Structures are given as structure tokens and as C-alpha cells.
Amino acid sequence: AKTFAKTAMLLNPRQLPKAIWLDRSFRDGEIKVQIKPMGGLGSQQAGLAFRYRDEDAHCFVSANLLTGEVSVQRVEAGQTIPVATSAGAFQPNPVGWTLCQVIFEGPRIAVYVNGRKCMEAVDSRDGWPGKVGLWAAPGSFINFDDFEIGILN
């Protein structure tokens, strides 16, 4: 069943900016959002957080809206661990909307950008239940729209 997120919480602004949907935790799911860069400094990266327990335990997908690079990373005990990276995974549109989607089920993670699968990864961890949300890199000014959540379990 898919539902639209209506409630979010902004976390500590000294950390990576995130908005986390508080209503429910789940292990396997599908989330997607439209993202649009609005300026700022640096790489203009944004994406989706999933299996979010807290700032020190979660996974996230990052899309670089200037270079087209996509990565999946896991944060464990406060350390960021790369799971997979794909340079030039999508054609960036630095002034328009980009649809970013992740499907996570057990250790399998699939990333889609603008409806096209651009990465499939297997995390060495089997996954754990957590919340989902949005994130942006420091210095990136990003608009988000149409955040959609699908729970698979």
C-alpha cells in the first residue's frame, strides 16, 4: 500500500539536513520524491533516507544533480560505509525536476532516476526496520515534491 507522507521532523541542523517521516518503521519498501536544485554551494546532492533508526544508523541514496552520480551508503555506528556508486548514472537537469526512487527489500537495493533503473546493489547487511525520509548535502538548496512511500512488508 502506498501512502503520502504528511508528517516530518527536521533533525539537528548541525548534521546533514534531513526530514524523517515519523509515522511508521518498516524493513522493506519503496520511496520516491521529485528533487530540484535551487542553487547553493558545492555538489547539489540530495536523495532519500531509509531504514533510519537515528543519526548513527541508517541508509541513504544520494543523487548528484550536477554530475549525474548516484550512490547508496549505509551509516553504522556513526561511520558512513559506501555500498555502491555509479558515475554518470543519469543525465542531470540542473534547472528541472528529477525523480529519485529507491526500492529496498532485504539486502537488495534498486535505485531509479527519472523512471530508469540506474543501480542495483546488495548490502552486506540484510537490512533492519526503520523510518524513511529526505536529505540534502550541506550547502545544497533543494526543493522536494511528491514524496511517496510504499511499504512492502
Side-chain angles (χ1 to χ4, degrees):
K2 292 185 180 178
T3 182
F4 288 95
K6 300 286 185 196
T7 337
M9 173 182 75
L10 292 176
L11 298 178
N12 187 335
R14 290 174 293 176
Q15 299 165 341
L16 286 178
K18 292 184 191 71
I20 303 299
W21 187 54
L22 298 175
D23 289 355
R24 185 163 174 198
S25 289
F26 51 95
R27 180 176 175 258
D28 301 322
E30 169 187 358
I31 52 177
K32 58 185 167 182
V33 70
Q34 295 276 352
I35 52 181
K36 181 178 181 181
M38 301 305 292
L41 307 170
S43 63
Q44 297 301 297
Q45 291 185 42
L48 296 157
F50 58 102
R51 295 183 174 149
Y52 187 94
R53 285 187 183 159
D54 57 36
E55 190 63 27
D56 293 327
H58 60 277
C59 297
F60 64 95
V61 169
S62 170
N64 185 313
L65 300 168
L66 298 179
T67 67
E69 180 177 283
V70 174
S71 66
V72 176
Q73 300 182 51
R74 176 174 19 99
V75 177
E76 206 170 317
Q79 301 288 28
T80 301
I81 302 160
V83 174
T85 300
S86 179
F90 69 97
Q91 181 65 42
N93 180 354
V95 295
W97 290 97
T98 300
L99 176 63
C100 185
Q101 175 182 12
V102 62
I103 300 171
F104 49 100
E105 190 167 12
R108 295 181 314 278
I109 301 167
V111 179
Y112 296 77
V113 177
N114 294 325
R116 183 180 149 270
K117 184 188 272 187
C118 58
M119 177 186 297
E120 197 160 27
V122 176
D123 193 350
S124 62
R125 296 286 304 255
D126 190 29
W128 57 83
K131 298 178 184 334
V132 297
L134 311 171
W135 82 273
S140 298
F141 298 112
I142 306 292
N143 276 347
F144 293 96
D145 199 7
D146 298 327
F147 181 38
E148 193 172 328
I149 300 167
I151 300 170
L152 300 179
N153 57 357

